[in-house]
Amino acid sequence: MIQMHEPSAARLGWIPPYLFQELDDLKAHAGRDLIDLGEGSPDQPAPRPISAALTKALKNTENHRYPSYPGKLAARAAVASWYRRRFQVALDPGTEVSMLVGSKEGVSHLIWGTCGPGDTVAVSDPGYPVYQNQVRLSGATPIPVPLEEKNDFLVDLDWLARIAPRIKLLCLNFPGNPTAAVATLGFYRDVVALARKYGFFVVNDNVYSELYFGKTRPPSILEVPGAMERCVEFHSLSKTFNMAGWRIGMAVGNARLIKALLKIKQNTDSGPFGAIQDAAVYALQSGAKFAAANRLMYKRRRDVFCGELVRHGWEVTPPEATFYVWTRVPPGYDSTPSGESVSLNFTRQMLASCRVMCAPGIGFGQGGEGFVRFALVAPEKQLKNAARRIGRRLAQNDE
Ligand SMILES: *Cc1c(COP(=O)(O)O)cnc(C)c1O
């Protein structure tokens, strides 16, 4: 008898179905003037001078060969120098920096390089779903870290101290997706103190570090003295410079953690395209003005969108960083008869009645239930339009 194999590996059963796939299917049937604020994908192109740097780098035939795994030394040096300027943190480009094919690649490979069966990993809930799913795929056990409104969506440090003896790795993401929460240096100091006391490692996903709207810039966890012994941080050009499709990011921090990441990476991909690394060097060295313009654009969008919702009586809190508006579903939508997810139900209703797509909180973990996320990835006019449609709809419901 021949054996009838299942095509999928058993481990695929360890992760939940991808919720956003279902929403994509709904979206496909939503009709014409849909305003899509669901996905966190920048709508604007990369700044033209960065594209020009790429075009120029294409002419260098060296770039057409296989790249090196951790990236060019020149690119890693540019990252180290940006870190020194931006965070006053010194990094060794040789051992403490790796270029990545987007930070998502780095997150996955770091988890696979550091965790496996028997290990426990604390992951933000709500949070970027890749963390929890990669922890599961690696065979390790995720523990959700509750990020609650009453704690400004930061980690409750007493809670962290209680689970600290059990975990190998803590995965944080500030400024946060989906919550838009910003951590202070004092918060990072407390986290690093716990990591040193209990011996766990920390990942901080800092891909939104340059999308801030207040006077204080989001810090790096590596600014904390001693953090380099236990922490790695991720960055990306995707959000800062609207380069999501280019696939370029970086991991920085503890050399042993970077080495573990690279060992998986060497067996999976071959590093980012050399020409894109050259353009990234240009962006890191000369891109401050583009990042500033991007901030201004999102700040205006934020004010238009939140202002319009508030005008219609939905009291959303404007984010201090990231391009996400994270808010509780409005009154009237906070329960469902069937016990179906409140956030999914709200998302479906907004799609059907307003042709506005948002992301249901449940898609980011149980801790996101009851909330929705709007990504400000459409021009001001469309955002205003979306908020007006939603606002009018909510007002109708109040009657
Ligand atoms: C967008 C996003 C990423 C992915 O960034 P890439 O560099 O494009 O892979 C990683 N982490 C978080 C929290 C994100 O929101």
Side-chain angles (χ1 to χ4, degrees):
M1 263 258 293
I2 55 163
Q3 197 192 338
M4 296 308 286
H5 293 287
E6 278 293 327
S8 56
R11 79 171 74 80
L12 293 194
W14 305 346
I15 54 174
Y18 196 57
L19 176 74
F20 294 101
Q21 182 60 53
E22 188 196 324
L23 295 174
D24 277 347
D25 298 342
L26 282 177
K27 213 164 68 182
H29 297 104
R32 270 189 298 125
D33 58 346
L34 172 81
I35 302 175
D36 188 357
L37 312 179
E39 231 187 319
S41 182
D43 59 306
Q44 293 298 306
R48 222 178 290 182
I50 301 181
S51 294
L54 172 66
T55 313
K56 186 164 158 239
L58 283 172
K59 299 201 177 98
N60 176 2
T61 52
E62 272 297 306
N63 280 334
H64 294 232
R65 306 178 60 172
Y66 279 116
S68 74
Y69 298 109
K72 300 184 185 199
L73 192 56
R76 287 179 279 151
V79 172
S81 133
W82 176 68
Y83 242 74
R84 196 165 49 242
R85 290 196 310 274
R86 170 66 173 84
F87 301 109
Q88 290 78 52
V89 169
L91 294 167
D92 175 357
T95 57
E96 293 173 336
V97 180
S98 176
M99 303 309 288
L100 301 170
V101 186
S103 59
K104 188 182 199 174
E105 175 258 294
V107 169
S108 309
H109 289 157
L110 182 82
I111 289 170
W112 279 80
T114 56
C115 302
D119 295 326
T120 301
V121 182
V123 293
S124 307
D125 180 17
Y128 185 57
V130 174
Y131 286 95
Q132 164 145 197
N133 289 344
Q134 287 293 352
V135 168
R136 285 183 195 279
L137 289 173
S138 79
T141 307
I143 303 188
V145 179
L147 303 181
E148 294 177 282
E149 197 170 21
K150 66 175 199 287
N151 300 322
D152 298 325
F153 298 107
L154 296 179
V155 182
D156 177 340
L157 292 164
D158 295 327
W159 181 89
L160 182 60
R162 284 199 295 282
I163 63 146
R166 287 159 55 202
I167 62 173
K168 175 165 183 185
L169 183 66
L170 168 67
C171 299
L172 300 177
N173 163 218
F174 297 108
N177 175 9
T179 67
V182 183
T184 60
L185 196 54
F187 170 82
Y188 286 144
R189 211 173 276 133
D190 294 339
V191 169
V192 171
L194 286 173
R196 296 179 65 160
K197 181 170 173 192
Y198 291 101
F200 62 86
F201 296 102
V202 184
V203 168
N204 185 47
D205 186 330
N206 208 352
V207 302
Y208 294 100
S209 68
E210 305 314 296
L211 289 187
Y212 55 86
F213 310 120
K215 285 204 180 65
T216 46
R217 301 188 292 180
S220 159
I221 197 169
L222 298 176
E223 291 176 45
V224 177
M228 202 63 85
E229 291 162 33
R230 312 222 66 88
C231 307
V232 158
E233 201 155 66
F234 288 108
H235 284 274
S236 172
L237 277 67
S238 296
K239 316 279 166 53
T240 308
F241 299 113
N242 304 321
M243 289 164 64
W246 295 42
R247 312 311 302 133
I248 183 88
M250 53 269 196
V252 302
N254 180 270
R256 288 181 306 155
L257 292 172
I258 299 280
K259 201 170 166 186
L261 182 163
L262 280 170
K263 189 145 185 187
I264 300 286
K265 186 172 170 58
Q266 282 152 3
N267 288 286
T268 316
D269 67 54
S270 297
F273 181 23
I276 292 179
Q277 293 186 56
D278 290 350
V281 169
Y282 171 78
L284 289 166
Q285 285 173 348
S286 317
K289 55 188 175 292
F290 308 131
N294 225 18
R295 281 194 287 277
L296 192 62
M297 176 185 79
Y298 285 119
K299 186 170 191 237
R300 291 175 58 167
R301 289 178 174 188
R302 174 196 76 167
D303 292 342
V304 163
F305 184 73
C306 294
E308 190 70 16
L309 285 180
V310 169
R311 219 165 59 79
H312 283 89
W314 190 4
E315 294 290 335
V316 299
T317 311
E320 279 303 316
T322 77
F323 48 52
Y324 301 117
V325 175
W326 177 248
T327 175
R328 245 176 224 292
V329 300
Y333 289 88
D334 42 14
S335 68
T336 54
S338 54
E340 190 209 19
S341 157
V342 160
S343 59
L344 191 55
N345 176 58
F346 178 77
T347 302
R348 280 213 192 92
Q349 294 214 35
M350 288 305 109
L351 191 59
S353 62
C354 307
R355 299 171 319 286
V356 175
M357 183 77 193
C358 58
I362 188 75
F364 305 97
Q366 275 302 325
E369 181 52 327
F371 289 81
V372 285
R373 188 194 78 179
F374 295 96
L376 302 171
V377 291
E380 274 175 53
K381 218 173 130 194
Q382 277 193 45
L383 285 168
K384 186 161 191 156
N385 205 345
R388 191 182 298 134
R389 287 185 202 167
I390 295 170
R392 287 191 181 147
R393 177 75 211 173
L394 298 184
Q396 275 171 12
N397 264 26
D398 281 347
E399 279 163 13

